[in-house]
Amino acid sequence: MSAGNATLEPLLTWLTLILAQLERTFYKVPGSAVIARYVRSSHQNDPGRTVLELILIVFAVRTLMQSRSRDKSEGKLIKFSEKEIDELIDEWTPEPLSAPLTEWEQRDLASVPVIAGPNGPKPKILSTGKTVINLASYNFAGLAGNEHIKERAIETLRKYGLGSCGPPGFYGTVDVHLELERDIADFLGTESAILYSQGFVTISSVIPAFCKRGDIIVADRAVNFAIQKGIQISRSTVRWYDHNDLKSLEDVLISVEKDRRKRGTPITRRFIITEGIFERDGEIVDLPKLIELKHKYKYRLILDESISFGSVGRTGRGLTELYNVPASQVDMLVGSVANGLCSAGGFCAGSTIVTEHQRINGTSFVFSASMPPLLAVAGSEGISFLRNTPSALTSLQENVRAVRAVLEKTEGIAVVGHRASPIVHFHLKIPCIANGSANGIATNPTTVMPPPTGPSFDYEAEEKILQDIVDDALANGVFITRAKRLRGQEMVETRPTVRIVVTAALTKKEIEKAAGVVKGSVAKVLGKRKA
Amino acid sequence: MPSPIALSPSSPPPSLFLKKKKSSLSQIPPFPTAASYLSALHEADARARGQVVTPTSTPPLSISSSLTSASGDTVLNEPDADRSGLTYPLTAPTSEQVFTTVHTEFGHCANQDYRCVSQHDSEKPVAEHKIEEPPYYILFTTYFSYLLLIIFGHLRDFFGKQFAKSYFTHLVPYNGYAPLNSDFDSFYTRRLKRRMDDCFSYPVTGVAGRTILVYDRYSEDCNYTQMYPGTKTRALNISSYNYLGFAQTSGGCADAVEESIKRYGISMSGTRREGGTCDLHQTAEALVARFVGMEDALISSMGFATNSTFIPALVGKGCLVISDEHNHASIRVGVRQSGAHVRMFKHNDMDSLEALLREVISQGQPRTHRPWKKILVIVEGLYSMEGTMVNLPKVVELKQKYKFYLFVDEAHSIGALGPHGRGVTDYFNIPPRSIDVLMGTFTKSFGAAGGYIAGCKELINSLRLRGHSGPYAEAMTPPVLMQVVASMASIMGVASPTSSNPKASSQALTVAPQADEYIHPGMAPASSLPTWLSLPPSLSDGSEARERIRRLAFNSRYLHAGLNKLGFITYGHPFSPIVPLLIFNPGKMATFARMMRARRPTPIVVVVVAYPATPLVTSRVRFCVSGAHTKDDIDIILRACDEVGDILDLKHGHGERWPLEEIMKRSVELVNSL
């Protein structure tokens, strides 16, 4: 034993020395006294307390080391052997990538007419070779086929080539883009504007650039598909109000504010999103009232003027001109260069802060090539045409009145939308009633579904009848189209309609004649159905 | 019929490993003044016109000698035009050479040695992408720079809010409105990006070809506002997505576009399914399907929207999308809109992909553990920020085993890769139909705009009907369609209807036996093009486009190899026209861009990218090589990088280094040794 002690003794002394050395070094480290004091005071002659502290430290280290990846299911994975996994892989059979088209879908696809040559007021249809009157294309002011614009486009081609070959951030900002942005801003009377290279993606990029998680969006129930997609991406809290019902909007705005007060949360960004002329049915929003509400409840307004820009107002400036409201009152005014100016692309006009923000945060602005310069020039030329030719908009309005006058007298169909809207929708007066009735739900701003107004419709049956009307009209020399919808992907299913787009490029006589043809087709198709 | 782009009649089949007869350096003419150089050029041009019979069927506009400049800005009153090599080649053309392109748009390069075929050697395995690490002090200083920027940014915010309230009105609540952008979200933009805003969004004019005219600008208030004195500078453009050099104001494509504007106007004024479809759409879609080797194709008027509006029609709830972590934003937007579940795998890492596949198939959907309805793997052919190429053979192999559907985004690779320019499938010689969905854009290689999706007929019809673009988005406009058709037809070559001319198409392209029969990758049957379209012979026999593809391949490889030999760290595949050069420090990045732009006699415009487009440390400059560049242009860029790189301490590569002169002299050897 003592022999054992004797052999251990040098080791023990050595250990003591080491310990003493360590202690000295420890105290030399600046701040070590604090740690020592902390350990001493927490220990307090109670090992339990030290153990607790140690456990806390271990826990903290573990938390820090843990991976921060989102996958909470990682721990819940079912353990399989390699062989089992192989078996599961063998067994798995995926669904086909695309579901086969139904008979109706095939007909729908085949029914799209193909134009031979240029589109305009009187295009030629490829399959029949016949020239028809066009009431389907967005050619409000009659810019399609304008010779001066073509000449300018060719000049631009010879100076700039066709593609811009780059996103705006990387040498894709051509001077003609900036000119068009300035032209749009001048035309509307806003501080500035920003140009996107496709009309459809414009608003679905503008919305998520501003509306983030936690922000509040109050939107119309019948907003177009692009807005729906923008809202979906933004992940904001959405409240819906009844279609074009500003009373309902005000109720929702009040309830949102009440809700916020109750919860005592700080103010977040709040937006009202709606359309100027609804693409879906041609209703026009009461802009002055909307602006009043927006100011009263301190919301920002995102207004989609994709249809109304270039088609209403004295010179086509859109809704703000129609109602004589300064465009600067609309925080983000989104419009389409493709529809209104017969070129391509879209824009968002507003204050400089609004547009500059999008130059970095507008996804489809940043990550996409800018539009071909010659199309931007065509847009600029379109604006100068509108500025100098107010008569185009006057004759457009006359034509709208003429079309509506004929269609409103047509049996069997109901014309919807505002009187001044250059797009005229009509649906069947007597609905095809589907089996089963809609479940009753009260107006609830948290859901997009509108309150039930009557029995639900058999969409496909109505679509088929409307398509018959369209086909018959085309056979008789008038080109119209159903308003095509992505059923199943739209948030709300609306009644199928036929859409007539009025243009200033046709004379009143031609328009009346064309409307008469549509009237005849409606009577023929509906008459056949009755018989 | 030899190509008029670069005609060298007596050139024997280039033997690439022979010692080069003449170095490009020795060709720089000893002209002391611009005037003497110009007169020599005149002489050569006059002689050429006298001797060489120019193609008679070419429309008059496309015959422009090396002296005519179609650009609106006359080149003669540009200072430095003589020495910069921008408006006139440094190497004077010889009497045999006739160039039909404008040198500022598409460089004159007649040397057949400077060509290369972009093709995967099937005997070699697909090279793994190696990433070179910089020294630790670089990483440290990079993190430190960001730390410093953040600290100073917060200090400036703090004091700014106290003393300069007018600058912060949009960041603080006022009058009952919440701020439009929170100061936290916009911190990076205001405090980091603004400092180098002068490197982004340069307004330009003219065509984004080999050179570009940028508007001069300066800022007196730290980039809050930019001042434009109205002057312009012509600079060498190594930034635009102009891979095959189709950004041109003259030539067969531009003529065809002009004709299409006269015939079709500007716009189709409507959506594809609501009366905006014309015969040109059908022509273009059929041609695209042939070009990529699929049954059918559809066209969308915007490249971004092609992904963001058609992916939701492919997958939905209960489906899984497996996406490469570096996939483009448009793919992310599309997937998010679709409602499908998403998982990511490590960039181009096939082991990571396989492990993920095994996990997701065996585990099924989260919580319910039901099997997935379908799994869609989305990869890109060439990644736009990394320049890496997808390991397609391995992905296709995995596809056989794991039964997923494969979506390849060829936005950058179509046109730019493969011996026939048919993209990444052509490069690896993989049958295109072993892939389910091929997507691509027309912005990059074709000098147009928009995008396409190709696949089997049933799929494409379903997308036409169920994709968002069909009923809601404007149709592609006729001039853009025509640019697509003309450039694509010129890459494919047009088989004459009689097919009695085997000589014209003997080289690399197979002759279509009959006009309507098409073997991929073959020539476009003449019947598939509009009858009124008459392409000049050099375009319709495919020889010019073949030159473009080969020049692009050479230039890409040369720049990759040259930068590596100079000691830089680069990313990406040697055949990738995207060449990222790693800079790391954010401060150096902005300085690099400014120094390149300030170089004389040849200013160079470059694209620099940093966080958030790249990981925090790996700020980079991204070169986009074009077939329009000449070897001299790449030399100029290498020289510039060499000098700037020395000043900024950017050379941290570990490989063997060569001096610049040697790289330039042994370029062909270097390109072939990769």
Side-chain angles (χ1 to χ4, degrees), chain A residues 4-287:
Chain A
N5 268 345
T7 44
L8 274 180
E9 207 151 306
L11 191 68
L12 285 173
T13 18
W14 182 71
L15 270 178
T16 330
L17 271 175
I18 291 284
L19 271 177
Q21 178 71 34
L22 271 179
E23 202 177 336
R24 266 200 305 277
T25 350
F26 176 71
Y27 278 108
K28 267 184 202 157
V29 177
S32 53
V34 181
I35 295 169
R37 202 159 53 235
Y38 176 79
V39 171
R40 219 171 279 140
S41 68
S42 75
H43 182 62
Q44 289 182 349
N45 286 331
D46 182 358
R49 295 176 70 113
T50 308
V51 169
L52 188 72
E53 293 269 338
L54 275 177
I55 290 173
L56 278 176
I57 289 171
V58 168
F59 185 73
V61 168
R62 196 177 144 251
T63 317
L64 278 176
M65 300 296 277
Q66 240 171 11
S67 84
R68 249 159 270 181
S69 65
R70 71 202 156 83
D71 219 355
K72 275 182 242 150
S73 64
E74 204 77 45
K76 289 181 208 152
L77 286 186
I78 306 166
K79 287 263 186 299
F80 292 111
S81 68
E82 288 294 302
K83 205 176 143 232
E84 282 171 316
I85 293 179
D86 283 335
E87 274 170 16
L88 283 166
I89 288 164
D90 282 342
E91 275 167 30
W92 181 62
T93 36
E95 285 180 8
L97 187 54
S98 59
L101 299 186
T102 63
E103 203 180 313
W104 163 240
E105 283 179 321
Q106 276 169 357
R107 185 187 156 194
D108 190 8
L109 200 62
S111 69
V112 177
V114 180
I115 295 166
N119 197 1
K122 289 171 187 169
K124 205 168 96 180
I125 301 295
L126 185 69
S127 53
T128 55
K130 269 189 359 191
T131 302
V132 292
I133 290 182
N134 187 351
L135 292 182
S137 302
Y138 295 118
N139 180 21
F140 302 118
L143 288 163
N146 184 308
E147 286 302 325
H148 175 66
I149 295 182
K150 279 195 207 172
E151 273 167 35
R152 287 282 290 126
I154 291 172
E155 275 171 37
T156 316
L157 171 75
R158 291 302 178 186
K159 192 174 169 206
Y160 294 87
L162 190 95
S164 65
C165 291
F170 300 145
Y171 308 99
T173 311
V174 183
D175 47 4
V176 293
H177 294 136
L178 298 173
E179 267 160 40
L180 178 54
E181 283 173 359
R182 266 196 300 273
D183 286 345
I184 290 169
D186 278 357
F187 188 57
L188 290 171
T190 60
E191 238 175 75
S192 65
I194 175 171
L195 197 62
Y196 286 76
S197 49
Q198 192 190 51
F200 175 70
V201 296
T202 308
I203 192 146
S204 42
S205 185
V206 171
I207 294 173
F210 295 103
C211 312
K212 309 281 180 198
R213 199 185 283 274
D215 294 344
I216 289 167
I217 293 176
V218 179
D220 191 293
R221 282 209 161 85
V223 288
N224 64 33
F225 194 73
I227 298 180
Q228 293 171 22
K229 285 292 145 189
I231 290 175
Q232 186 197 334
I233 292 184
S234 73
R235 295 176 176 169
S236 305
T237 312
V238 197
R239 295 287 176 271
W240 303 92
Y241 67 93
D242 290 347
H243 177 37
N244 210 15
D245 180 351
L246 296 190
K247 179 75 192 58
S248 162
L249 169 65
E250 188 162 11
D251 291 344
V252 174
L253 298 184
I254 292 170
S255 80
V256 168
E257 181 59 18
K258 221 188 253 167
D259 212 35
R260 188 188 71 79
R261 289 249 173 83
K262 207 161 75 189
R263 284 198 207 148
T265 45
I267 301 167
T268 53
R269 282 178 288 254
R270 296 175 297 193
F271 299 88
I272 297 172
I273 303 181
T274 184
E275 283 178 84
I277 293 181
F278 286 87
E279 183 236 70
R280 179 165 297 191
D281 58 7
E283 287 291 349
I284 295 184
V285 73
D286 182 357
L287 192 61

Side-chain angles (χ1 to χ4, degrees), chain B residues 393-405:
Chain B
K394 183 71 186 168
V395 179
V396 171
E397 192 191 311
L398 289 177
K399 176 178 151 58
Q400 309 291 335
K401 189 171 170 196
Y402 294 99
K403 294 175 278 188
F404 56 80
Y405 296 110

